[in-house]
Amino acid sequence: MYDALTTSYRLSCPRHGKTSVRLSRFRLVDELPGARHPAVYRIVFACGCGDEHPGLVSHDDLDWAPLGLGAGEFLNLMTSRVEPLAAELGDLAASRIGAGEWPWSFFCYPEDQPRPVFPSSFTLLAAGEGAIGLAVRCPHCRRLSLNLVSEPHVDLPFHNDREVGVVEHVFPGDALRTIEEFGAELWSAGFDVRRLSLE
Ligand SMILES: [Zn+2]
Ligand SMILES: [Zn+2]
């Protein structure tokens, strides 16, 4: 499902069959209700054919496959450790995380600080002029923030923009439920620049 060489997902287009889709072309990420192991996310992606299509992506594929981690290993955001500790932890991703680098990060506006994050916390994405508008549900405080980031910031693990745009607004819990609402809010908003250094 995830191809590390092209850093993209193989998803289905009703017109073209299988197509390669980078994370920055996802438009919506929404966990399906009900207990599943691993959890499954309903996504909508902007396809090369010009349409948006739905798809399903497992939690493993969303968060761990881009890091080269297999099923059964996971990164604990609170302890910064890969658990359970596998023998092959000489793994590049694990050593970089151990050194304090995070594969993805964002600026949490309600907490006024950068936070590590995984793609499963990205809720809505929109493409603008050379930038990606990103709504993130903070894994720490559970509140929404809107960041303006580069495509590589989303697509490439361990590529973190040094500075990101931040919408200075605290969104209520039920805000920004649809791609349309998000687009309207995003492009009418002003962005303030924040540094994204986690050190
Ligand atoms: Zn298509
Ligand atoms: Zn937060």
Side-chain angles (χ1 to χ4, degrees):
M1 150 82 59
Y2 185 81
D3 178 2
L5 277 181
T6 59
T7 60
S8 60
Y9 291 87
R10 299 291 289 167
L11 293 166
S12 291
C13 166
R15 209 170 301 170
H16 295 129
K18 288 287 175 193
T19 184
S20 280
V21 183
R22 288 191 147 191
L23 195 54
S24 59
R25 297 237 309 272
F26 284 24
R27 292 293 168 260
L28 175 146
V29 179
D30 187 24
E31 185 175 351
L32 288 178
R36 289 183 183 80
H37 296 285
V40 175
Y41 291 77
R42 177 177 74 94
I43 63 134
V44 172
F45 67 96
C47 183
C49 77
D51 283 340
E52 292 181 348
H53 309 306
L56 293 174
V57 179
S58 77
H59 185 237
D60 285 347
D61 276 324
L62 204 48
D63 287 359
W64 312 141
L67 302 177
L69 291 175
E73 300 169 332
F74 72 97
L75 293 163
N76 187 322
L77 280 177
M78 296 300 167
T79 63
S80 308
R81 296 222 312 247
V82 179
E83 299 171 348
L85 247 44
E88 62 274 24
L89 273 192
D91 180 271
L92 182 62
S95 59
R96 293 181 77 169
I97 290 159
E101 276 189 82
W102 282 93
W104 292 275
S105 59
F106 79 109
F107 195 93
C108 178
Y109 178 69
E111 295 187 280
D112 195 32
Q113 67 174 88
R115 286 271 183 206
V117 73
F118 286 101
S120 58
S121 293
F122 298 165
T123 60
L124 291 156
L125 299 90
E129 289 169 14
I132 300 293
L134 185 62
V136 184
R137 174 77 60 192
C138 179
H140 197 257
C141 72
R142 305 300 304 159
R143 287 177 290 183
L144 274 177
S145 290
L146 256 63
N147 284 188
L148 196 65
V149 302
S150 71
E151 282 185 15
H153 179 88
V154 174
D155 290 329
L156 305 177
F158 299 106
H159 180 112
N160 290 290
D161 291 348
R162 292 177 57 133
E163 294 180 333
V164 299
V166 178
V167 174
E168 297 184 291
H169 182 70
V170 176
F171 295 93
D174 59 351
L176 307 178
R177 299 205 71 86
T178 68
I179 296 170
E180 291 72 28
E181 265 177 40
F182 176 58
E185 182 68 46
L186 184 68
W187 306 122
S188 65
F191 288 92
D192 200 53
V193 172
R194 299 292 159 89
R195 291 187 64 82
L196 204 51
S197 169
L198 287 166
E199 287 120 51

